[in-house]
Amino acid sequence: ARQVPSRAMSTVAADLDAQVRAIYVQLDDGFGDTATLEGDPAAASAHLKAMTSKMAESKRLIKEYERVSKETEGADLDAVAARKKEMVQKLNTYVNKKKAAQADIAARVASNAAAVGVPGAATAATVAGAAGTPAPLAAG
């Protein structure tokens, strides 16, 4: 009788792992969509916002995976920790890609503003490009 809950929990952990992997495929596709990311800044920002919510969902799933796995009777805790570390490292690469894309969008917005004569915009574009961080004009 004790084997059934253990099997059920490991099935839940495997399902959570699969959900994280599916989100990562979506994020790979999303960051690979250069036409959207390099196109209209408003569309690019909206695209990043959608990917940010996917990243938040994967973070929640990773925490749930760890919790469920640790509750599984006979779980290999070293394997659970290694898998969690792998998932978190992958998530961090997406966070860094998002930051770079936000900086690019901010620089383009500032550059476009400078082209139409908005004071201080060229400085913001230079700072965003040099520092690799979003300019103050960046949408969150």
Side-chain angles (χ1 to χ4, degrees):
R2 292 186 68 128
Q3 288 292 349
V4 174
S6 177
R7 240 182 256 130
M9 292 303 272
S10 64
T11 301
V12 171
D15 183 52
L16 291 167
D17 187 285
Q19 288 178 53
V20 171
R21 288 175 193 265
I23 288 173
Y24 287 174
V25 167
Q26 293 171 0
L27 289 169
D28 282 335
D29 291 345
F31 283 110
D33 185 1
T34 55
T36 301
L37 289 173
E38 295 172 2
D40 175 56
S45 291
H47 186 68
L48 278 183
K49 187 173 183 178
M51 289 194 297
T52 300
S53 70
K54 289 182 189 306
M55 287 185 260
E57 175 67 5
S58 70
K59 182 177 178 179
R60 185 192 67 74
L61 290 168
I62 291 167
K63 287 180 179 183
E64 183 71 4
Y65 167 83
E66 181 182 37
R67 184 189 66 75
V68 167
S69 296
K70 285 182 175 179
E71 290 175 357
T72 301
E73 190 177 319
D76 180 350
L77 297 182
D78 289 339
V80 169
R83 179 63 188 132
K84 178 190 173 198
K85 182 179 179 181
E86 183 182 318
M87 289 189 282
V88 169
Q89 287 173 335
K90 183 84 169 166
L91 178 58
N92 286 338
T93 64
Y94 294 122
V95 170
N96 290 332
K97 286 180 182 185
K98 176 191 156 208
K99 288 179 181 178
Q102 283 177 316
D104 179 62
I105 293 166
R108 284 188 289 129
V109 166
S111 178
N112 290 345
V116 294
V118 175
T123 304
T126 303
V127 169
T133 58
L137 304 173

